[in-house]
Amino acid sequence: MSNHLFDAFRSRMPEPVHLLMETDDGRSFSYGDMLARSSQLAHALLQLNVEPGDRVAVQVEKSPEAILLYLACVRAGAVFLPLNTAYTLTELGYFFEDAAPRVIVCDPARSADIGHMVEPSTAVVVTLDRNGRGSLMDQASRQASDFHDVERGKDDLAAILYTSGTTGRSKGAMLSHENLASNARVLVEQWRFTTDDVLIHALPIFHTHGLFVATNVILMAGASMLFEQKFDAGRIVTLLPRATALMGEPTFYVRLLQQDGLDRRAAKNIRLFVSGSAPLLAETHNAWRERTGHAILERYGMTETNMNTSNPYDGERRAGTVGFPLPGVALRIADPDSGKPLAQGQVGMIEVKGPNVFGGYWRMPEKTRAEFRADGFFITGDLGMIDADGYVHIVGRGKDLIISGGYNIYPKELESEIDALDGVLESAVIGVAHPDFGEGVTAIVVRAPASHITGAEILGAIAGRVAKYKHPKRVIFVDELPRNTMGKVQKNLLRDTYKDLYAS
Ligand code: AMP
């Protein structure tokens, strides 16, 4: 079996006329179109001197062209490096410096600013717009529509996805062709995807969920997708009758439940609802079953590992659990400090090993070593336990990550920004239960002596510096932060004090 991700897709490809995706602006792309256009884009990349292993950094709005570019990178042997569209120029600077991309693909509105940030001798900056003269699409339109894929070995990288760093610095998770191909194969089998399936794709494509879980599964199954620029709950309800599957993070399901049109009739052609990226409340699972007659299938994964566990397709999908380890994935619960495996039923660190698990963090060998055990298990940072029936439960996070609306936010980054402001002595950023977002980012701030800084001023100051989804929903002022004897801020106490802050 070839290890090349695109070969893996190709081996299961349906007839060229078969629909790959239809967009919300009325365009459609067949598998034949996908082959031809990704070939053209691959040629265009080679013309920009992209060599195997070179990074192609991409910050663009969601579009079919962005998917074609991802495939072109894979085919040309390059490393696809998608970046959250919300990242500010300051944030982008770090990624460009760290990843040293050969090509940076961005939206036209940003190309001048980005062009000023990078040395022309090290990186080429291009846009992806369909109509722009000189854009990558324009260059591709003059290229041949077949392409001989650049050979790749199983450990060669297909993509780097940056995770938010717990200590402020983002880490690039290096994902190989085999990591991605093996996980997509397993998911297609487990979730029974075929060429008859039509997935509603409303997830962002700079993240593992929308790019690898959703898109790779569709490509690996030769199936189709209704490709939505954004998640719009009202519109999704109208699309349901045309689809067989939906993948979303818990917020999708919470918002869909607020739509009057969501009922059994709307969902009657759907065979599978999948949730992941953050915990799905049992309450949401149950409300969904009552309204639609479907049990949402919850799965668990992360950028570094792809998908690790899934509730069963057949058999009980147990609310509040993430199901069983996927075939080929070894999962154990270990003592967080010693790494010693714990007995069934005990809570500890979730550790995983398998062809799905990434090779390490880009140019961070020490960080990589610190997150793997000597026997190759990756320390996920998630705390969990396995129940008597083998279902995996996630009970918390070792790292103090906040997940708001499906996006990961590391408090440390925001705390550094807020602490740096004049008038602020110190801050603690926590996640507080929020009915819509899952968790609401909340900043607890101690003013500097004689300072009168306001919440609005703090929010205004960080607005241009950090992505919008990370902005605190509330800023609360206190006289001092609670600390333990070691001087560590007791975030658990803060979370407890403010737990009802967003209760409706
Ligand atoms: P990301 O790398 O952005 O996909 O974030 C991965 C993290 O999201 C994991 O380490 C978990 O903390 C969390 N996560 C993903 N899926 C689930 C789930 N089904 N239940 C609870 N947490 C989840």
Side-chain angles (χ1 to χ4, degrees):
M1 193 162 27
S2 160
N3 292 308
H4 199 296
L5 177 61
F6 200 78
D7 271 352
F9 294 149
R10 200 195 283 276
S11 68
R12 313 237 189 145
M13 222 166 262
E15 293 293 300
V17 295
H18 196 81
L19 178 74
L20 169 60
M21 57 181 143
E22 188 181 301
T23 62
D24 45 9
D25 60 358
R27 297 190 292 151
S28 59
F29 294 78
S30 66
Y31 274 84
D33 295 331
M34 182 276 284
L35 270 178
R37 297 196 194 191
S38 63
S39 293
Q40 292 181 308
L41 277 164
H43 283 297
L45 290 174
L46 295 196
Q47 289 212 331
L48 295 177
N49 298 322
V50 168
E51 292 185 7
D54 278 352
R55 278 77 56 212
V56 175
V58 181
Q59 191 198 38
V60 295
E61 289 301 326
K62 183 176 179 180
S63 72
E65 285 75 15
I67 296 289
L68 296 170
L69 176 58
Y70 155 55
L71 296 173
C73 287
V74 167
R75 298 185 67 184
V79 181
F80 185 66
L81 197 159
L83 292 164
N84 192 325
T85 44
Y87 285 146
T88 63
L89 287 171
T90 315
E91 288 165 318
L92 288 180
Y94 167 74
F95 296 114
F96 297 156
E97 169 126 18
D98 190 57
R102 181 82 207 95
V103 174
I104 298 170
V105 186
C106 63
D107 284 323
R110 281 228 159 142
S111 66
D113 284 337
I114 292 177
H116 288 127
M117 285 168 64
V118 295
E119 288 285 329
S121 57
T122 57
V124 183
V125 180
V126 279
T127 64
L128 190 63
D129 52 323
R130 286 187 271 153
N131 308 315
R133 275 195 59 194
S135 77
L136 197 58
M137 293 310 290
D138 183 38
Q139 295 175 41
S141 68
R142 291 185 288 276
Q143 306 293 329
S145 54
D146 57 353
F147 180 81
H148 187 73
D149 298 347
V150 172
E151 279 197 26
R152 297 276 76 193
K154 83 182 193 2
D155 295 330
D156 283 325
L157 300 188
I160 293 178
L161 262 61
Y162 275 86
T163 66
S164 317
T166 39
T167 52
R169 285 189 74 194
S170 264
K171 296 168 285 176
M174 301 192 289
L175 297 155
S176 68
H177 281 249
E178 195 200 14
N179 291 152
L180 302 180
S182 65
N183 209 234
R185 275 194 201 102
V186 165
L187 295 178
V188 166
E189 233 163 75
Q190 291 294 300
W191 297 344
R192 314 269 170 90
F193 272 85
T194 72
T195 51
D196 294 334
D197 274 304
V198 180
L199 174 80
I200 297 178
H201 189 309
L203 292 156
I205 54 171
F206 48 74
H207 184 261
T208 184
H209 197 169
L211 185 61
F212 299 143
V213 187
T215 307
N216 282 359
V217 160
I218 292 309
L219 287 161
M220 191 65 93
S224 309
M225 49 190 165
L226 302 176
F227 199 70
E228 296 290 295
Q229 172 91 30
K230 294 228 149 59
F231 174 80
D232 171 341
R235 187 173 150 81
I236 301 294
V237 171
T238 66
L239 290 179
L240 284 175
R242 296 183 50 209
T244 64
L246 172 72
M247 291 184 195
E249 19 104 353
T251 309
F252 278 26
Y253 293 100
V254 172
R255 294 199 181 158
L256 285 167
L257 278 166
Q258 291 161 1
Q259 299 293 315
D260 290 338
L262 181 79
D263 55 19
R264 279 170 195 257
R265 213 167 48 134
K268 81 174 194 313
N269 294 331
I270 301 278
R271 64 169 189 85
L272 184 62
F273 288 103
V274 181
S275 176
S277 285
L280 179 78
L281 296 178
E283 183 188 317
T284 311
H285 182 100
N286 295 335
W288 192 267
R289 192 199 287 258
E290 217 156 88
R291 279 280 280 286
T292 68
H294 287 274
I296 297 172
L297 179 152
E298 185 170 5
R299 93 309 179 269
Y300 157 64
M302 58 199 299
T303 303
E304 290 94 329
T305 63
N306 297 286
M307 298 307 106
N308 295 314
T309 73
S310 171
N311 267 280
Y313 189 83
D314 296 319
E316 188 194 349
R317 298 179 193 164
R318 203 170 277 184
T321 81
V322 293
F324 307 110
L326 289 164
V329 178
L331 183 148
R332 69 185 182 198
I333 307 293
D335 180 276
D337 298 322
S338 69
K340 247 181 68 189
L342 296 174
Q344 182 269 311
Q346 285 192 281
V347 172
M349 179 61 70
I350 300 179
E351 301 185 351
V352 293
K353 185 176 173 178
N356 54 311
V357 177
F358 78 139
Y361 295 111
W362 172 255
R363 291 184 177 165
M364 289 188 180
E366 275 163 34
K367 197 82 205 147
T368 301
R369 260 194 304 279
E371 303 213 5
F372 280 91
R373 300 283 181 204
D375 59 359
F377 275 78
F378 174 64
I379 306 164
T380 63
D382 292 312
L383 301 173
M385 68 101 165
I386 302 177
D387 70 21
D389 299 321
Y391 286 83
V392 177
H393 298 235
I394 297 179
V395 301
R397 294 187 293 266
K399 311 163 184 169
D400 65 348
L401 170 75
I402 299 171
I403 306 183
S404 184
Y407 289 108
N408 289 357
I409 296 135
Y410 284 93
K412 181 83 189 157
E413 184 192 4
L414 284 166
E415 288 160 8
S416 309
E417 289 286 340
I418 296 172
D419 292 353
L421 300 176
D422 276 346
V424 171
L425 187 64
E426 61 172 351
S427 65
V429 172
I430 55 170
V432 174
H434 189 290
D436 196 17
F437 292 99
E439 287 180 299
V441 179
T442 307
I444 317 294
V445 177
V446 181
R447 289 190 179 101
S451 152
H452 298 286
I453 193 166
T454 64
E457 282 164 356
I458 290 177
L459 293 177
I462 64 169
R465 299 190 48 87
V466 301
K468 190 142 196 268
Y469 68 86
K470 302 176 189 168
H471 294 184
K473 305 240 171 307
R474 297 267 184 94
V475 178
I476 293 167
F477 292 96
V478 294
D479 291 335
E480 59 176 6
L481 296 175
R483 288 197 139 81
N484 68 12
T485 48
M486 305 293 290
K488 258 174 96 69
V489 175
Q490 291 170 299
K491 288 199 169 173
N492 50 339
L493 292 186
L494 290 173
R495 284 188 206 104
D496 196 48
T497 306
Y498 298 106
K499 65 180 189 302
D500 298 324
L501 192 62
Y502 302 106
S504 38

